Amino acid sequence: MECDVDFATPSAEWQQQIVQKTPNNKVDTSIQFASAHTATATQGREYTADNPFQSELLSSINLTDSGSSKDVLHLEFSLEDSGLQYEPGDILAVAVANDLTLVEEVLSLSGLDRHTPVNINGQVTDLYNALLNQRELSTLTRRQMKMYAEYIGHAELLAAANDKNNLKEWLYAADWADVFRQFPGKVEAQALVDILRPLQPRQYSIASSPNAHPDEVHLLVKRVEYDFNGRTHLGAASNWLARLQAGDKAAVHIKPNVHFKLPASADSKIIMIGAGTGVAPFRSFLFEREAQGISGNSWLFFGEQRFRTDFLYQTEWQQFLANGTLERMSVAFSRDQARKVYVQHRLLEEAAEVYQWLQEGAYLYVCGDMNGMAKDVHNALIEIVASQRNINAVDAAAWLEQLMGEHRYQRDVY
């Protein structure tokens, strides 16, 4: 699959081939190819992955208190003089670099010379720069393991990679240093670069409002760090962002999220459900509503581990409640009691009123982990609808599907 995620260059080459093969090179000018290069050429101030805006970091604040098991950062970037515009619910894509220690480990374990020239999409660079800035090192795919195993002639790894029931947990947690440690083999620099995936900009739900925070964009980021195979593994993007200091710059662009938007009517009720950093877009929603002078008709369900150390944006939620922007808030702190309590449990406790809000036309929003929180919340909603409408789970799920079709049930999950 040649275009996979690194599609811009193959796309441009394909377009040129189409033009050359068209008789007399005549192409219907009403046809516009979907290309970042085309957009950039025609609109100089349209920032894309290929033409990002260099945004200055204004501030970085750790929102979790001492004693928390995690670091969650609130970052504010400047958009001044960029012309960039966004709406609540949109996404900020940030170009990042790999961790220097991981790059050094991969070079050391592979035995490759950092100065070796390699070719990426027709551009020659040295291996070190390619591994630092252009190729993914912290994530693995089964397809990559097959390619690597075939290249080094590792029958055991190839058999494991061909078995879909094998390597699942290992692929989820391992990085390319783990590959070279556990499955050593001789690979040429160019072959390694060809196996590795392009280093993609990381996407984050925007946590600010363009009306409340002009010329700024805010992010909520959990720093990822975990132990695996006797080593500390760092999330590439979150730790890169955590290392930024005020005044440093990041290459960014906006990605519209057309299926996660506030209702057009100011009178519409909204129910927002988010755990951890999944609450980011709801901060954007509420600041936007406050800026527009919209009161009430809003209910936030928020979940985290502990009230004392992990209540993200606590003061702001209290201010929204005090001035009426936020009508209701239900919280779930999973580690503050013997029985773990999550947002889906709070939904079930408020089943009658949640359903009443939906009956009154409320829009439902869920943001967070697709296979964890979002799945559990969806199952809780099925249970709520089934019990309140006195129908079975299949019909309740169909009712929720109808809400999705009406754009009244929107999810931003990952």
Side-chain angles (χ1 to χ4, degrees):
M1 186 174 180
E2 184 177 357
C3 287
D4 196 6
V5 291
D6 191 15
F7 65 87
T9 299
S11 173
E13 293 173 353
W14 174 77
Q15 292 170 27
Q16 185 60 33
Q17 291 170 14
I18 293 295
V19 172
Q20 290 174 350
K21 291 181 180 180
T22 303
N24 299 321
N25 287 350
K26 291 181 180 179
V27 178
D28 185 349
T29 55
S30 67
I31 298 174
Q32 296 183 357
F33 291 107
S35 166
H37 294 292
T38 303
T40 302
T42 57
Q43 300 181 36
R45 291 178 66 84
E46 182 172 341
Y47 293 102
T48 65
D50 291 331
N51 179 40
F53 174 67
Q54 297 296 324
S55 176
E56 179 183 348
L57 179 67
L58 301 174
S59 66
S60 176
I61 304 169
N62 191 333
L63 297 185
T64 48
D65 208 343
S66 58
S68 175
S69 63
K70 61 186 73 175
D71 294 327
V72 180
L73 306 175
H74 171 83
L75 301 107
E76 301 185 354
F77 289 94
S78 172
L79 296 181
E80 188 173 2
D81 296 329
S82 69
L84 282 171
Q85 297 180 352
Y86 66 89
E87 297 178 356
D90 283 347
I91 292 165
L92 187 75
V94 185
V96 300
N98 284 307
D99 181 66
L100 287 170
T101 301
L102 178 57
V103 173
E104 294 292 349
E105 283 192 85
V106 168
L107 285 169
S108 175
L109 292 167
S110 66
L112 294 171
D113 185 340
R114 70 185 57 224
H115 302 296
T116 304
V118 292
N119 188 307
I120 298 179
N121 297 328
Q123 300 294 319
V124 177
T125 185
D126 59 75
L127 179 61
Y128 180 80
N129 177 63
L131 297 181
L132 181 65
N133 296 307
Q134 300 186 55
R135 285 296 185 256
E136 293 278 4
L137 294 180
S138 59
T139 61
L140 305 174
T141 68
R142 192 174 298 277
R143 179 172 177 267
Q144 285 179 306
M145 292 303 95
K146 292 179 184 179
M147 294 171 64
Y148 176 71
E150 289 172 351
Y151 188 90
I152 66 172
H154 200 298
E156 181 184 353
L157 176 58
L158 183 59
N162 280 320
D163 182 354
K164 291 185 178 180
N165 296 317
N166 209 330
L167 296 179
K168 283 185 179 179
E169 294 183 4
W170 187 85
L171 284 171
Y172 180 79
D175 57 27
W176 273 91
D178 294 308
V179 174
F180 285 113
R181 284 177 184 275
Q182 292 187 235
F183 307 104
K186 184 171 178 56
V187 60
E188 297 298 323
Q190 185 63 53
L192 175 60
V193 166
D194 291 341
I195 292 172
L196 295 175
R197 290 161 63 85
L199 183 59
Q200 294 294 302
R202 297 315 200 255
Q203 299 181 17
Y204 295 95
S205 298
I206 293 174
S208 52
S209 153
N211 286 316
H213 311 99
D215 291 328
E216 293 182 10
V217 62
H218 301 172
L219 299 182
L220 183 63
V221 178
K222 175 188 173 183
R223 191 176 68 82
V224 176
E225 178 178 338
Y226 60 95
D227 292 328
F228 178 73
N229 275 0
R231 294 174 43 239
T232 297
H233 290 60
L234 301 176
S238 63
N239 285 276
W240 186 88
L241 286 166
R243 288 190 289 269
L244 292 181
Q245 302 293 316
D248 290 344
K249 291 189 175 181
V252 307
H253 65 281
I254 302 292
K255 291 183 69 68
N257 192 3
V258 296
H259 299 299
F260 202 79
K261 285 287 181 285
L262 281 165
S265 172
D267 296 328
S268 296
K269 293 178 177 289
I270 57 174
I271 300 173
M272 303 162 286
I273 307 165
T277 56
V279 81
F282 305 136
R283 180 179 186 265
S284 175
F285 282 10
L286 291 171
F287 266 113
E288 181 70 9
R289 280 201 153 192
E290 182 185 49
Q292 294 180 9
I294 302 172
S295 296
N297 289 330
S298 55
W299 190 349
L300 174 63
F301 288 82
F302 170 69
E304 252 294 357
Q305 289 189 352
R306 295 177 178 82
F307 171 86
R308 189 185 68 81
T309 59
D310 306 310
F311 199 165
L312 309 178
Y313 298 127
Q314 178 184 5
T315 302
E316 293 181 350
W317 307 136
Q318 291 173 333
Q319 290 173 346
F320 285 136
L321 287 166
N323 66 25
T325 302
L326 182 58
E327 184 173 329
R328 298 187 60 171
M329 184 170 187
S330 299
V331 297
F333 295 100
S334 59
R335 306 297 195 274
D336 279 351
Q337 58 284 309
R339 181 179 71 90
K340 291 182 179 179
V341 177
Y342 298 109
V343 285
Q344 62 266 25
H345 300 129
R346 295 297 185 226
L347 281 166
L348 291 168
E349 290 170 2
E350 303 283 359
E353 286 202 66
V354 167
Y355 180 71
Q356 182 61 38
W357 275 51
L358 293 175
Q359 283 291 87
E360 294 171 357
Y363 284 64
L364 184 63
Y365 300 89
V366 178
C367 183
D369 175 32
M370 178 189 306
N371 298 314
M373 184 277 290
K375 181 179 178 180
D376 293 336
V377 163
H378 186 73
N379 289 334
L381 291 169
I382 290 175
E383 186 176 339
I384 289 170
V385 173
S387 65
Q388 296 300 308
R389 293 178 69 89
N390 194 26
I391 57 178
N392 60 41
V394 173
D395 290 339
W399 191 83
L400 288 172
E401 287 288 340
Q402 182 178 340
L403 286 191
M404 287 184 177
E406 298 169 357
H407 304 294
R408 283 184 48 211
Y409 179 9
Q410 303 181 30
R411 307 203 305 169
D412 184 3
V413 296
Y414 39 85

